[in-house]
Amino acid sequence: GGGAKDPREQTGDGLEAIRQVNITGHFLLAHELMPLLQVSPSARIVTQSSAARYFSKREKVEDLNGTNAELFSAWDQYCLSKAACVLFTQAVNDRLVKKGVDNVSAVVCDPGFSSTGVNIQHDLTASIGMLDKNTNQAHDEMGHHAADGALPMILASIEDTASRNAWYTTDGRASTTVEQAAHVQDSKTMEESGFNVPSNDPL
C-alpha cells in the first residue's frame, strides 16, 4: 500500500519500497522460478493489480524509484506499481510466446474495492480525493469483504480455461452469484481500460 501522506521508504537494495514490494519483487520471483515453471506440465503466473492503476500519472514513469523528494507521493508509487503489474503480465507472455514456451502463461487479477486494513492504514479516501467521507465509511457504503476480494485471484490460479493475458475481476458488492464474484472480464472492457497498451506508450 501507499497513501498520499506516507513518507518514502527505501529497501536494503536501494529501491523505493512500494515499487520493490509490488512489482520488482514479482519480476525477480518469476525470473528465479522460470526454470522450474518451464519443466512443469502447466504453470501460471498470477499478478495482483488494482483499480488504483487508473490513477497512474504518466509524468511519474521516468522516476519509478520516486527519487524526486518534491514530487514524491507514496500513493502515486502504489498506482504506478499496479499499472506495472498489468504491463508485466503482457511482457511475460510476449516473451514466453517468442521463446515457444507453451506450458507457462501469465494472467492478472483485480480484487475490486475490498474492505481491508491497508486502505485504512494509508487513508485511501484522502489519497483519491474523496473528502466527503473517511475510508471506513467508504468501506461500509461500497466495499466488499476482503475474503471476497481474494476470489478473482483464486479463480485465476485454478481455472483450466485461463488464457494468456486474461483479466480476472469481480462485480464486488453487487455480486449475487459466485460467477459475478469472480470472473474473466470481457475483452472490450479490457481494451477500454488500457490493458492492451501500444508499445510506444509507457502506460
Side-chain angles (χ1 to χ4, degrees):
K5 299 176 183 177
D6 293 342
R8 184 182 187 276
E9 296 181 65
Q10 187 165 295
T11 68
D13 295 327
L15 296 177
E16 190 277 321
I18 295 168
R19 169 196 166 177
Q20 178 154 339
V21 169
N22 284 342
I23 188 61
T24 307
H26 295 25
F27 171 82
L28 291 173
L29 181 63
H31 176 74
E32 292 293 324
L33 293 178
M34 193 57 71
L36 291 174
L37 298 178
Q38 290 186 70
V39 298
S40 170
S42 178
R44 189 172 303 159
I45 299 167
V46 181
T47 305
Q48 178 89 317
S49 186
S50 162
R53 65 187 177 275
Y54 295 119
F55 293 90
S56 298
K57 295 180 179 176
R58 294 177 191 273
E59 63 268 23
K60 296 290 185 90
V61 171
E62 294 184 11
D63 186 21
L64 291 177
N65 212 29
T67 56
N68 187 329
E70 292 182 8
L71 298 177
F72 179 79
S73 163
W75 170 246
D76 289 346
Q77 290 296 109
Y78 178 73
C79 296
L80 282 173
S81 74
K82 290 305 178 179
C85 286
V86 176
L87 300 178
F88 166 72
T89 299
Q90 283 191 311
V92 168
N93 283 321
D94 288 348
R95 285 160 175 76
L96 291 170
V97 169
K98 286 178 183 176
K99 289 184 173 288
V101 178
D102 298 324
N103 62 313
V104 183
S105 63
V107 300
V108 67
C109 61
D110 180 339
F113 187 37
S114 302
S115 301
T116 68
V118 173
N119 292 342
I120 297 168
Q121 178 185 357
H122 299 290
D123 199 1
L124 178 64
T125 51
S127 294
I128 64 176
M130 186 184 289
L131 304 178
D132 61 330
K133 56 178 60 77
N134 62 42
T135 302
N136 279 319
Q137 291 169 321
H139 282 169
D140 291 343
E141 294 175 21
M142 300 174 285
H144 54 260
H145 195 282
D148 293 334
L151 294 176
M153 178 175 275
I154 293 169
L155 185 62
S157 301
I158 65 172
E159 188 171 55
D160 292 339
T161 58
S163 59
R164 292 186 193 275
N165 292 331
W167 171 19
Y168 286 81
T169 189
T170 177
D171 293 344
R173 194 180 182 113
S175 302
T176 57
T177 66
V178 173
E179 290 76 16
Q180 291 172 332
H183 56 84
V184 176
Q185 186 62 282
D186 65 274
S187 58
K188 181 179 179 183
T189 306
M190 288 171 67
E191 289 173 7
E192 290 172 352
S193 76
F195 188 87
N196 293 307
V197 179
S199 59
N200 63 347
D201 189 336
L203 282 178

